[in-house]
Amino acid sequence: MDKIIMVTGATAGFGRATAKKFAVNGYRIIITGRRKERLAELENELKGDNAEVLALSFDVRNKVEVDKAVGSLSGDWKNIDILVNNAGLAVGLSHIDKGDTDDWDRMLDTNVKGLLYVTRAVVPLMAERGSGHVFNISSIAGKDVYENGNVYCASKFAVDALSKAMRIDLLSHGIRVTNIAPGMAETEFSVVRFKGDRERADAVYKGVKALAAEDIADVIYFCAALPPHVCINDLVITPTQQAGVNNLVRK
Ligand code: NDP
Ligand code: 8X3
């Protein structure tokens, strides 16, 4: 296997599980994220699975850092087959009239502008080669809104729109674009949303068999492994106890 996947936000959650899934299936992996120690730890783990790994630490919000990191790729590391635009977060949960504008900036800068910067840096490399596959991690929050979700939902609606737009714009380059819209998944997501308040984060998943990061990694791998003429456009994946952002049964 000589295929290369680049995963943003590989230091935790979906990104980490996706890197692991593709590594054990023989892909060469470019792992990225801000936390260098976590990247080094994952690099060692993937190398233990006999994968070829390249770790790049950058903040997706920083256009200069993104361009520098992608520009540093040498030789055939530039031949990225799959890009997983996964880095993202929710910060805070409050009515629009009480929202913290710094939280809004973090979400829009990461989930929308960060995804765009990485895409703008990587996709021309795919276009040159006339093939590639971009996965954008949106959310069920990009399909429907919920009370207090306002800006996070808006950021994921933007990702949903960008997936559709990318699919059209990249059509002539033979690049597949798959939008992934997960529901409730137990990762570091809620700890980040509630700024380290683990008790509040744990309460989110009480009485629910939430999705695991590995479930989403499996779905991404399934889509990527389909023959090149097959493009899954959009997938909504929820726990069986959830039917959208406003319908959840706890047991
Ligand atoms: P985690 O918090 O577990 O992981 C988020 C990852 O994003 C981390 O690796 C983090 O790395 C990275 N990241 C965050 N901000 C930046 C940044 N500015 N620059 C670079 N990397 C960044 O969350 P999940 O795995 O759950 O989330 C992954 C994606 O899935 C997000 O886009 C999220 O919105 C989406 N999602 C999550 C759902 C859930 O219920 N968990 C459901 C639907 C969608 P580091 O901090 O090291 O930079
Ligand atoms: C994460 C899912 O419903 O918490 O994107 O917004 S939700």
Side-chain angles (χ1 to χ4, degrees), residues 151-168:
V151 177
Y152 177 68
C153 295
S155 76
K156 292 300 184 180
F157 268 72
V159 174
D160 194 276
L162 285 167
S163 294
K164 289 179 184 142
M166 283 182 199
R167 200 173 303 111
I168 295 167

Side-chain angles (χ1 to χ4, degrees), residues 3 22 27 82 133 135 176 219-228:
K3 286 205 166 180
F22 281 78
Y27 276 72
I82 301 172
H133 196 159
F135 287 86
R176 298 190 278 185
V219 168
I220 293 172
Y221 187 78
F222 167 79
C223 296
L226 289 167

Side-chain angles (χ1 to χ4, degrees), residues 109-120:
D109 289 349
T110 309
N111 300 354
V112 185
K113 290 167 71 182
L115 178 145
L116 283 170
Y117 296 155
V118 174
T119 301
R120 181 65 184 85

Side-chain angles (χ1 to χ4, degrees), residues 163-196:
S163 294
K164 289 179 184 142
M166 283 182 199
R167 200 173 303 111
I168 295 167
D169 290 353
L170 302 175
L171 196 56
S172 62
H173 296 295
I175 297 172
R176 298 190 278 185
V177 179
T178 300
N179 189 71
I180 301 282
M184 184 184 277
E186 196 159 358
T187 60
E188 293 178 9
F189 179 83
S190 293
V191 177
V192 172
R193 167 170 255 174
F194 299 124
K195 302 176 182 175

Side-chain angles (χ1 to χ4, degrees), residues 14-36:
F14 299 162
R16 191 179 199 289
T18 301
K20 181 92 184 157
K21 175 82 188 178
F22 281 78
V24 298
N25 281 285
Y27 276 72
R28 296 165 70 190
I29 324 279
I30 302 172
I31 50 172
T32 81
R34 291 166 301 177
R35 286 171 287 180
K36 288 197 172 89

